[in-house]
Amino acid sequence: MAEQAQDGTTTTTVGAPTEPRFADRARAMVARVLERLADPAAVAADTAVLAEMSWDGDDQPLWVDLSLSSGFPGVSLAFSGSTPSGPEHAARAHAHLARAMEVLAAERFPAAGIFTGPGSVAFATLVAHRATGGYVNALARMDEHQRRVVRATLPRPRTNTPLTTNGEFEAVRGLSGVGRYLLARDADGDELRMVLSYLVGLAEGEILHRGRRVPRWWTLAAPKLGQEVEMPAGHLNLGLSHGIAGPLALLALAWRAEVRVPGQRAAIEQLVALLAECAVPTGDALWWPAFRTLEQWATAPDPGAPAQRPSWCYGAPGVSRAVQLAALALDRPDWHELTRRSLTGLLDTPVADWGIDDPALCHGWGGLLHLLGLLGEHLDDARLPAVRDELAALVLAQYRDEYRFGFRSTMTRVPQGVDVPAFLEGAAGVALALDAYAEGRVVAGWDQALLVA
């Protein structure tokens, strides 16, 4: 069943005859987490104290005021993106969003995609608008800001040299994320077409790098800070969060929405072909590594290499969803088969052996729970409902009353994990995944930030 929000956005609800096995427990858990996230001042202050106690020098701070990963906009999504539970629901979303807007008005921030800075406030405002019909003027200002960001920062594809950083095009920091926001808000605008055309340009042809032909998506940066010495020639990033699966997802979503630019079909085909080329076959199954170095690019994928653990950010099922969106866009049964093969090894493996120890959306059980719901809408595999029930049970089992926000992230090197409240790597995202599972919401609206819908 499809529900339509006030701005025309469709939220897909599964019309199943029975509820998911752990629906009631999930609803109760969501309510408990949301109570812990209700007061923005307390959430920010307590996170700062917990960070000081447990942070060990990891390169990412645990609280950033304007962030979907770890700030006020991300926590606001827990309320505006979940099923309303009472009159205070919208007020709590507004309290976090208001704090974000205060910070935005007081400081200047560089353009940085939709996960930090003004972009994170824009996306949180969009979700709040869909939930309430309000924030019309604020959202119009956010729209104009995102259009200005594109016009001011859109790079020209380099003709003969690799990109400095994949932050130019990726979902989290780059133009694929901004393009997803514009597709939701201003699909007829020139700026969205500028983004799509830029991505199409990167998909065209190859460049010569250190004596080898490589895709234009090649970047000189390493996947993580500190890895530069290990890969001085850069890498090709394959992930949905920081790699080429993000542009593929945006191009496919835009095509399905009938927003098209010259070369878009060919770019989608090139990206799927590139992902197929980089996939590691293991019998009927296959899996995607996080990236390919220049040395790896010169050889065939190694079937004996350790498989990438499943997540939204890298490997299946995140990349699988991007390929599935392309299959739906261009009606390609062979790409649906590619999607199926990428999940075969995962579904043939006991969930306990997937190597996950985190409840979050980015690289944990919560993201897998939601992604397998999305994939299952167009994937005929009778195992999926039971697997999702098992994933939900694993998420629920990680809740602890003694944790400040109920769930603890293992994203840092701190052995005991860290209490993180927000969307991508914290309790807000876990609550949203559980809410969507309990209510049968396949496409939930907040998941557009992940480029999976």
Side-chain angles (χ1 to χ4, degrees), residues 120-442:
S120 68
V121 183
F123 185 79
T125 305
L126 169 60
V127 177
H129 165 72
R130 289 172 174 167
T132 65
Y135 304 97
V136 174
N137 292 334
L139 196 54
R141 293 193 298 271
M142 298 295 175
D143 293 347
E144 181 54 35
H145 179 272
Q146 294 301 88
R147 288 191 287 264
R148 288 199 305 269
V149 165
V150 171
R151 290 192 174 277
T153 65
L154 188 74
R156 292 175 178 267
R158 291 168 176 79
T159 55
N160 299 309
T161 59
L163 302 172
T164 303
T165 170
N166 43 313
E168 283 189 15
F169 64 76
E170 66 172 55
V172 172
R173 297 173 294 172
L175 286 165
S176 292
V178 176
R180 185 63 190 92
Y181 176 87
L182 293 174
L183 180 60
R185 287 294 300 161
D186 189 18
D188 294 326
D190 291 339
E191 290 78 11
L192 174 58
R193 285 172 168 76
M194 291 167 65
V195 171
L196 298 176
S197 294
Y198 162 74
L199 297 176
V200 166
L202 286 178
E204 293 174 345
E206 297 178 323
I207 58 173
L208 186 65
H209 178 49
R210 298 198 176 190
R212 293 176 182 157
R213 307 296 299 181
V214 297
R216 291 188 185 276
W217 304 100
W218 203 272
T219 175
L220 294 175
K224 292 182 180 179
L225 292 175
Q227 293 181 322
E228 293 81 5
V229 175
E230 302 171 36
M231 48 189 80
H235 75 295
L236 174 68
N237 198 298
L238 306 178
L240 183 54
S241 57
H242 300 298
I244 61 173
L248 173 62
L250 176 62
L251 291 167
L253 287 163
W255 187 277
R256 294 187 74 193
E258 299 187 351
V259 181
R260 299 167 187 177
V261 298
Q264 189 168 339
R265 174 187 284 272
I268 293 171
E269 291 171 342
Q270 186 267 357
L271 281 163
V272 176
L274 188 53
L275 287 169
E277 180 182 354
C278 293
V280 181
T282 55
D284 180 54
L286 59 86
W287 58 272
W288 282 288
F291 54 82
R292 298 278 283 167
T293 66
L294 194 60
E295 292 73 21
Q296 291 168 339
W297 182 251
T299 62
D302 178 10
Q308 171 70 36
R309 71 175 184 176
S311 66
W312 164 74
C313 48
Y314 284 105
V319 176
S320 309
R321 177 57 175 172
V323 173
Q324 185 184 66
L325 289 171
L328 293 168
L330 299 188
D331 190 20
R332 291 286 297 265
D334 54 331
W335 295 352
H336 282 294
E337 175 62 11
L338 184 63
T339 302
R340 184 198 66 78
R341 290 184 62 202
S342 74
L343 296 174
T344 293
L346 192 62
L347 296 176
D348 284 346
T349 303
V351 171
D353 295 335
W354 287 7
I356 308 299
D357 61 356
D358 190 297
L361 289 178
C362 182
H363 45 253
W365 299 122
L368 301 177
L369 173 65
H370 192 64
L371 273 164
L372 290 181
L374 286 163
L375 285 157
E377 202 179 13
H378 301 282
L379 183 69
D380 185 16
D381 193 308
R383 294 172 291 180
L384 281 171
V387 169
R388 294 190 72 227
D389 285 339
E390 190 170 355
L391 292 172
L394 284 166
V395 174
L396 293 167
Q398 296 208 10
Y399 178 90
R400 297 288 185 276
D401 271 327
E402 61 267 28
Y403 296 166
R404 171 61 177 87
F405 306 111
F407 291 98
R408 181 166 283 179
S409 171
T410 60
M411 60 178 278
T412 70
R413 293 186 293 271
V414 180
Q416 72 272 20
V418 178
D419 296 81
V420 179
F423 173 68
L424 190 61
E425 293 167 325
V430 177
L432 288 167
L434 287 173
D435 174 75
Y437 161 79
E439 304 302 332
R441 300 170 70 207
V442 178

